[in-house]
Amino acid sequence: SAVISQKPSRDICQRGTSLTIQCQVDSQVTMMFWYRQQPGQSLTLIATANQGSEATYESGFVIDKFPISRPNLTFSTLTVSNMSPEDSSIYLCSVMLLDSDTYNEQFFGPGTRLTVL
Amino acid sequence: GQQLNQSPQSMFIQEGEDVSMNCTSSSIFNTWLWYKQDPGEGPVLLIALYKAGELTSNGRLTAQFGITRKDSFLNISASIPSDVGIYFCAGQDSNYQLIWGAGTKLIIKP
């Protein structure tokens, strides 16, 4: 498995500001993902973070709103830009290990709980 | 986006009872995963299923991958207080992306 940490664990932000969330993994991983989980809801994939190239965004999510960086195989950031109260959610980093032992299992970080006032 | 049909939405059970929940899909998946999420935490993988018809156990948890690859169930035997949480099923598509169920909230009555 992989140990994933996220910073910050929670934050309260003002409307119109931006927040950058960090995700650190204890081993090199091939695939990293960013999810959003709105209160009482299931998880929604925002984008796949690609190392050395632009992230791949899902329908409904755009780079200007959620810029993502992935400078190496163990670290990624997600920025929530120009925040509004509708952005209040838990943001989760996830990684997938591509090897025969784990058969592409996906592991999650503890999440960042964001509240926008 | 696409979502799996997960039921029930919530369950109120007595400690010691068995629990059963299931997921269905109109699409075929190569892998089915069951996760548990505690408050303030990310989902934790419980069981992964890779072959149609596969039955896998993890302690008191048992899950099966439907023969049609379009459904799965999760059973918890002899529930205990720490089983409380939200359980999610997820199907993994050919691009390794996860399609999620809406979750089953498990509550144990005192």
Side-chain angles (χ1 to χ4, degrees):
Chain A
S1 65
V3 178
I4 306 166
S5 60
Q6 287 185 232
K7 290 182 182 180
S9 59
R10 59 177 62 229
D11 207 342
I12 301 173
C13 300
Q14 295 295 324
R15 180 196 301 261
T17 62
S18 298
L19 176 71
T20 295
I21 302 168
Q22 299 180 5
C23 177
Q24 179 74 53
V25 191
D26 68 340
S27 58
Q28 294 186 342
V29 296
T30 304
M31 303 188 78
M32 295 181 76
F33 307 92
W34 285 99
Y35 286 84
R36 181 174 73 183
Q37 186 177 28
Q38 294 177 308
Q41 302 295 316
S42 185
L43 284 74
T44 300
L45 180 64
I46 298 172
T48 302
N50 302 309
Q51 194 262 331
S53 64
E54 193 171 284
T56 304
Y57 289 84
E58 296 301 302
S59 176
F61 298 95
V62 295
I63 188 171
D64 290 345
K65 176 66 175 178
F66 298 101
I68 290 171
S69 78
R70 190 176 172 195
N72 56 53
L73 294 177
T74 64
F75 185 78
S76 178
T77 66
L78 168 75
T79 299
V80 186
S81 303
N82 188 25
M83 288 184 284
S84 67
E86 292 71 34
D87 294 321
S88 298
S89 288
I90 299 172
Y91 292 86
L92 294 149
C93 171
S94 172
V95 303
M96 189 166 69
L97 306 179
L98 292 174
D99 63 50
S100 59
D101 289 338
T102 56
Y103 274 89
N104 312 328
E105 293 173 1
Q106 206 166 118
F107 301 93
F108 287 83
T112 296
R113 184 178 295 271
L114 171 62
T115 302
V116 183
L117 303 177
Chain B
Q2 183 184 1
Q3 192 173 66
L4 303 180
N5 298 313
Q6 185 172 351
S7 64
Q9 184 176 11
S10 60
M11 301 183 71
F12 294 80
I13 63 169
Q14 297 279 3
E15 183 177 350
E17 288 183 354
D18 295 342
V19 173
S20 184
M21 60 193 78
N22 69 84
C23 276
T24 61
S25 170
S26 58
S27 304
I28 292 175
F29 292 104
N30 292 325
T31 303
W32 277 82
L33 304 166
W34 284 94
Y35 288 87
K36 180 186 181 222
Q37 187 175 27
D38 292 326
E41 302 290 333
V44 173
L45 182 64
L46 299 174
I47 291 180
L49 301 161
Y50 306 109
K51 299 178 182 177
E54 179 182 358
L55 183 70
T56 298
S57 294
N58 178 7
R60 293 178 295 106
L61 277 61
T62 301
Q64 184 159 32
F65 195 167
I67 197 71
T68 64
R69 292 182 174 270
K70 292 182 178 182
D71 62 290
S72 177
F73 71 74
L74 174 70
N75 289 340
I76 305 172
S77 62
S79 58
I80 60 177
S82 62
D83 291 334
V84 165
I86 302 177
Y87 293 79
F88 291 99
C89 63
Q92 188 177 66
D93 67 17
S94 57
N95 294 318
Y96 303 115
Q97 291 187 2
L98 296 181
I99 310 300
W100 294 83
T104 295
K105 188 173 185 179
L106 183 60
I107 301 165
I108 296 183
K109 294 181 283 189

